[in-house]
Amino acid sequence: MKKVFVLDTNVLLHDPAAMHQFEDNDVVLPMTIIEELDRFKKQPEETGRNARQVSRELDGLRQQGNLFEGIVLEGGGNLRVALCNRETLQELPPELERDRGDNSILAVALELQRQCNCPLVLVSKDTNLRLKADALSVAAEDYETDKVNVGDLYTGISEVIVDAESINNLFKQGGVDLDGPFLPNQSLTLVDSVNPAHTALAVVDGHSGQVQPLAKIPHAGISQVIPRNREQRFAIELLLRDSISLLTLVGKAGTGKTLLAIAAGLQQVADEQRYSRLLIARPNIPMGRDLGYLPGDIKEKLTPWMQPLYDNFDLIFGTQDTTGQPSHWRRGHEELMEQGLLQIEPLTYIRGRTIPKQFLIVDEAQNLTPHEVKTILTRAGEGTKVVLTGDPEQIDNPYVDAASNGLTYVVERFKKEPLAGHVTLHHGERSMLAERAAALL
């Protein structure tokens, strides 16, 4: 039986293609949505772009027929715009303000539910609107097309019980074939079935499927950074593999995601010259109340946003203490910038660019929407490696959550791709205090 889905404005602002995601069911857009899209379309960021895209999409559909009578979508469903019935709006409980857009959407859903003899669902990303709908006996759901189950999120790491001969052959022959199922570039800990203390770290080659040992790293580490645990060792391996064009690193604060990515990027840009430049970008979304516009030139404006990245460079180069240095002295990241080997910028300026042969790190990627991540990945040119880092539990963007942000979305969508890899880091290495705070608070 066909269903009727009534969409809220925030669903279309989150995913401009949402109206096409309901297969052959009917989709209804309350007239209030058109008004709200007109208000949002003037915003300069992703919300404004999505509002304008939806408006253009509806204008294109209007050429095919009357939106109020209904237009057949490619999936076989029917899309139409519905007006709010004034009598139904007035029937809402007195606690609900009549002039609010959410309540107009609710009135449309209530009226349609009375008229049709099929299941009706109000789809909204607004928790409060879903609560209101439930109070009026209108079925309501979150928009979950691009959501992932965070509890079952792919970790990229697995432990496999094998015989001693398999572990020995791993190093003697440079690889071993094991019965899976394994995903491409999955990190494995091989454990001897007889002697559990006999173990080996390995990775599944993304193209051949062979289980291979990790490459040796210098005693001094990568850019003076030495992995402190197994997860960090796996991350270093995937960061240095040329066959991996996309890597996602997920973990709580202090697990070393950004530091490892920067260290590996520096190694391959400055020392090995595999890439022409290390490009680091992060969304300029504040934690807590925004400070507003900042004075100064572009470098001065970006300093507060990029200071976490500068801290990592100071740790690598040992330049935290600047006292006693001559006036012409430059911090490590400043020298790299002057040489054209390093570029740090906000994600605001990445749209429309083509980025070839660069090592691109996108920090705090949990604050991005799936559409924004798609925009970033489609900027990658030939020979570019993209590393997304972030913690889904520390999201400052009000339009996404742990299950719908771009980082977790990419992890699930790319986990079967030979060119992609993923590692979830659990152990904090910043300090004992940071580790306990991440675990207890």
Side-chain angles (χ1 to χ4, degrees), residues 36-326:
E36 293 185 341
L37 287 174
D38 188 62
R39 186 174 76 252
F40 280 108
K41 72 180 184 181
K42 299 174 184 177
Q43 295 188 8
E45 298 178 350
E46 192 69 22
T47 301
R49 287 193 291 269
N50 290 348
R52 294 190 292 272
Q53 183 175 338
V54 173
S55 297
R56 289 193 296 269
E57 177 81 9
L58 291 175
D59 188 52
L61 292 172
R62 183 179 62 84
Q63 309 300 322
Q64 303 177 23
N66 192 311
L67 285 173
F68 293 90
E69 295 177 0
I71 295 173
V72 178
L73 299 173
E74 292 182 3
N78 189 278
L79 171 73
R80 68 185 182 94
V81 175
L83 297 172
C84 176
N85 187 300
R86 184 176 296 275
E87 289 75 18
T88 306
L89 184 62
Q90 293 175 346
E91 290 176 13
L92 295 179
E95 293 85 357
L96 302 181
E97 299 178 18
R98 302 287 187 267
D99 58 348
R100 289 186 61 114
D102 284 356
N103 298 329
S104 297
I105 294 173
L106 191 56
V108 169
L110 194 60
E111 179 67 20
L112 289 173
Q113 183 170 263
R114 294 171 178 174
Q115 295 176 359
C116 67
N117 296 319
C118 58
L120 180 141
V121 179
L122 172 61
V123 183
S124 174
K125 298 192 71 63
D126 185 344
T127 305
N128 290 334
L129 180 55
R130 298 200 300 268
L131 291 175
K132 294 178 188 178
D134 186 69
L136 297 176
S137 300
V138 175
E141 297 177 358
D142 192 1
Y143 180 71
E144 299 183 344
T145 299
D146 55 3
K147 279 200 168 188
V148 299
N149 189 335
V150 180
D152 296 330
L153 186 67
Y154 173 56
T155 65
I157 300 175
S158 183
E159 191 171 281
V160 184
I161 306 298
V162 297
D163 54 42
E165 185 180 1
S166 295
I167 295 180
N168 294 332
N169 288 338
L170 176 71
F171 297 103
K172 289 180 181 179
Q173 302 174 6
V176 63
D177 294 322
L178 298 178
D179 294 331
F182 302 122
L183 292 177
N185 301 307
Q186 186 173 4
S187 301
L188 304 178
T189 300
L190 306 185
V191 181
D192 190 336
S193 57
V194 177
N195 179 15
H198 184 205
T199 63
L201 302 184
V203 64
V204 180
D205 183 71
H207 297 281
S208 67
Q210 186 185 50
V211 177
Q212 300 175 346
L214 304 189
K216 292 182 179 181
I217 62 174
H219 291 295
I222 303 298
S223 298
Q224 308 303 315
V225 174
I226 301 174
R228 294 186 176 183
N229 57 52
R230 178 182 59 175
E231 297 160 358
Q232 290 189 354
R233 183 65 187 86
F234 285 142
I236 286 289
E237 174 69 21
L238 300 189
L239 282 164
L240 297 178
R241 285 209 164 205
D242 292 335
S243 59
I244 297 178
S245 300
L246 172 64
L247 178 62
T248 48
L249 298 178
V250 170
K252 61 186 179 182
T255 51
K257 308 176 298 295
T258 306
L259 178 62
L260 293 172
I262 290 177
L266 283 176
Q267 171 90 8
Q268 296 172 86
V269 171
D271 297 338
E272 302 174 3
Q273 299 181 353
R274 291 195 222 172
Y275 303 95
S276 61
R277 178 187 298 157
L278 173 59
L279 173 59
I280 309 177
R282 68 196 317 256
N284 51 336
I285 297 177
M287 182 183 73
R289 183 173 296 179
D290 195 356
L291 295 176
Y293 291 103
L294 299 173
D297 57 24
I298 184 67
K299 180 181 178 181
E300 293 171 322
K301 290 177 185 294
L302 289 179
T303 296
W305 300 106
M306 302 304 170
Q307 189 59 50
L309 300 177
Y310 300 154
D311 291 343
N312 282 284
F313 281 101
D314 285 339
L315 182 61
I316 291 173
F317 291 109
T319 54
Q320 295 98 326
D321 185 8
T322 61
T323 57
Q325 299 294 341

Side-chain angles (χ1 to χ4, degrees), residues 333-350:
H333 70 272
E334 292 175 330
E335 288 190 8
L336 291 172
M337 286 180 171
E338 291 176 359
Q339 297 170 14
L341 297 177
L342 172 65
Q343 184 176 350
I344 301 177
E345 62 180 39
L347 283 171
T348 308
Y349 306 124
I350 203 168

Side-chain angles (χ1 to χ4, degrees), residues 5-27:
F5 291 95
V6 180
L7 304 190
D8 189 4
T9 312
N10 50 46
V11 173
L12 296 173
L13 293 177
H14 176 77
D15 180 8
M19 65 185 79
H20 299 285
Q21 303 296 332
F22 295 91
E23 299 178 344
D24 60 346
N25 297 294
D26 292 345
V27 177

Side-chain angles (χ1 to χ4, degrees), residues 47 283 285-286 366-369 372 394-401:
T47 301
I285 297 177
Q366 79 277 1
N367 282 318
L368 301 173
T369 67
E372 287 172 328
Q394 294 192 6
I395 294 178
D396 302 310
N397 185 344
Y399 297 106
V400 298
D401 56 27

